[in-house]
Amino acid sequence: MRAVAKRRVPNFCFEFLDGGAEDETSLRRNRSVFSEIGLRPHALVDISQRHTSTSILGEASASPFMIGPTGFSGLLSDKGDLALASAASDSNIPYVLSNVSTVSIEEICEATNARVWMQVYMYRNREFVERMVDRLLKTRVDTLVFTIDNPVHGKREWDVRCYRRPLKLTIPNMLDAAMHPRWLLDVLWPNGVPRFANLGDLLPPGQDDVRGAAQALASQLSASLSWEDVRWLRERWPHKLIIKGLLNKDDVLKAADYGADSVILSNHGGRQLDGALSAMEVLPEVIEALNGRIPVIVDGGFRRGSDIVKAIALGAEAVSLGRATSYGVAAAGQQGVQRVINILNDEIDRVLGLLGCNSLAELTPDHLEWRR
């Protein structure tokens, strides 16, 4: 699906989807960590009753993964956010709508039966965040995913490669975009560049499209972000609250102390702090430190069903997918996302069987060998 996506969308879109920060060390680390973890199968076990269903934050899910928040999906396919949500609904897995989506939360909730969660950032404009919370309370969204690992914007050097100055593509990238007529007809025709649907009056007039909002959004990032902001949001949001972007067990324990219902261990897909550990590397110590206080979700580099099985065996409740399902939406819209989900489900089922397990609940660290 990645290869199809690379052919279908212009280079600048694929660079945004595929690239990481600086030398992309964390990006590669997210993938290489899985090759360091071996599987220990149990033989001669009756596996005829196996299944991949589970529970994620107290609700049934057909699979141990969810579609995480990925911004700018509307540049990959027409109403890409809706395609992701629809595939999640059809597959009975949770879906997290990105704060920088091009489809409104109300449309997602009305057009699909998905279990919809919403990502939020703590912008400098706190009044906007408060209005967003009030807006969400009028929908069926019951979970906020508070992303905290961007007090400053990561250095993503593909920006330099693709743009001759802010918001202006290089001439080669402009020509490349013109060489993708199917993408042009799908994404830009007839309404032009997609516009953000959930940012409201956070952005200046005329700067709410995907192209024009980048600088305005960067200026809204808050370098003063602190645990007091978690407290502030917890007091205003009466439902489930997840803190996303932690990689330190002490921070995870503090998140539980501040009332988080779960955490997502994440290095932002290798797009923020280059050289950061992967979520999988810190997962065992986090699980041990929490001792069951709150469930843990992980993301970063998951491309195979076996990757997901390894995370569950180490104690994660679920895996959040970013690029994997985004490759699908870039390749073929909702059909492409569904294809990715089906591939992963098939692989998880097969790996469970070959390990000698009938359910995800039977997985333990004893099924793994990680020589560190």
Side-chain angles (χ1 to χ4, degrees):
M1 299 308 290
R2 177 182 181 276
V4 175
K6 188 174 184 178
R7 292 195 301 269
R8 183 183 174 276
V9 301
N11 175 70
F12 80 95
C13 291
F14 189 77
E15 287 265 27
F16 170 80
L17 166 59
D18 205 52
E22 299 183 15
D23 293 322
E24 300 187 335
T25 303
S26 290
L27 187 67
R28 292 189 297 273
R29 189 170 191 149
N30 283 351
R31 286 296 304 136
S32 65
V33 66
F34 293 106
S35 65
E36 300 170 5
I37 307 172
L39 296 169
R40 287 183 174 272
H42 292 222
L44 298 175
V45 178
D46 180 356
I47 55 167
S48 60
Q49 304 301 313
R50 69 187 183 278
H51 62 89
T52 62
S53 60
T54 188
S55 175
I56 301 178
L57 268 60
E59 294 191 31
S61 177
S63 307
F65 58 84
M66 50 192 267
I67 299 180
T70 49
F72 297 81
S73 295
L75 268 183
L76 303 177
S77 181
D78 180 43
K79 292 195 172 183
D81 305 290
L82 185 58
L84 290 161
S86 298
S89 177
D90 291 348
S91 303
N92 190 24
I93 61 174
Y95 168 68
V96 187
L97 181 64
S98 168
N99 191 236
V100 288
S101 63
T102 57
V103 180
S104 72
I105 183 63
E106 290 83 3
E107 182 175 354
I108 293 289
C109 289
E110 182 178 346
T112 77
N113 293 317
R115 180 184 176 188
V116 184
W117 302 353
M118 183 72 191
Q119 179 196 40
V120 294
Y121 290 109
M122 190 61 67
Y123 295 114
R124 292 183 182 183
N125 185 341
R126 295 296 196 271
E127 291 182 3
F128 167 78
V129 181
E130 192 162 16
R131 286 194 297 271
M132 172 60 76
V133 170
D134 291 341
R135 178 178 169 186
L136 292 171
L137 289 172
K138 298 175 183 177
T139 72
R140 57 182 176 83
V141 172
D142 67 354
T143 304
L144 279 188
V145 178
F146 180 22
T147 300
I148 54 83
D149 56 0
N150 63 337
V152 295
H153 200 55
K155 184 182 180 184
R156 303 166 190 177
E157 294 180 354
W158 48 264
D159 270 337
V160 179
R161 294 193 296 267
C162 292
Y163 296 87
R164 63 183 187 270
R165 63 178 184 273
L167 314 182
K168 297 293 183 181
L169 290 171
T170 63
I171 291 177
N173 274 282
M174 292 176 64
L175 294 174
D176 177 73
M179 296 298 291
H180 291 78
R182 186 171 62 170
W183 174 84
L184 290 170
L185 289 173
D186 178 40
V187 173
L188 299 187
W189 180 267
N191 297 316
V193 179
R195 297 183 177 276
F196 291 117
N198 293 301
L199 294 182
D201 54 6
L202 178 69
L203 301 175
Q207 294 189 33
D208 63 341
D209 67 37
V210 172
R211 175 187 55 201
Q215 282 187 315
L217 283 173
S219 70
Q220 279 291 334
L221 295 180
S222 176
S224 65
L225 191 64
S226 74
W227 286 104
E228 287 307 306
D229 293 304
V230 176
R231 189 193 306 277
W232 180 88
L233 189 58
R234 178 72 282 180
E235 290 173 351
R236 284 159 177 77
W237 180 251
H239 307 304
K240 295 185 183 75
L241 177 65
I242 301 175
I243 309 299
K244 178 181 182 290
L246 302 177
L247 283 175
N248 184 302
K249 68 179 181 180
D250 294 332
D251 288 339
V252 172
L253 291 172
K254 189 173 287 188
D257 291 339
Y258 274 75
D261 296 286
S262 178
V263 295
I264 300 179
L265 303 182
S266 173
N267 63 18
H268 212 107
R271 297 164 73 86
Q272 284 292 99
L273 174 63
D274 195 31
L277 294 170
S278 73
M280 286 292 287
E281 289 176 288
V282 301
L283 176 60
E285 64 185 56
V286 165
I287 294 296
E288 181 180 9
L290 278 172
N291 194 28
R293 288 182 63 188
I294 57 174
V296 176
I297 300 169
V298 291
D299 77 6
F302 289 87
R303 302 289 186 274
R304 287 283 188 183
S306 59
D307 301 338
I308 295 171
V309 167
K310 290 172 182 178
I312 303 302
L314 287 172
E317 176 147 296
V319 165
S320 177
L321 301 176
R323 286 187 179 86
T325 42
S326 289
Y327 290 142
V329 79
Q334 182 179 343
Q335 183 180 4
V337 181
Q338 192 63 61
R339 176 63 177 150
V340 169
I341 292 172
N342 292 345
I343 289 171
L344 292 174
N345 276 329
D346 179 66
E347 291 181 351
I348 292 170
D349 174 75
R350 182 178 295 106
V351 173
L352 276 179
L354 293 174
L355 281 175
C357 295
N358 280 290
S359 71
L360 296 160
E362 295 178 13
L363 292 168
T364 73
D366 290 339
H367 289 99
L368 308 179
E369 176 70 19
W370 194 351
R371 296 177 179 173
R372 304 175 66 187

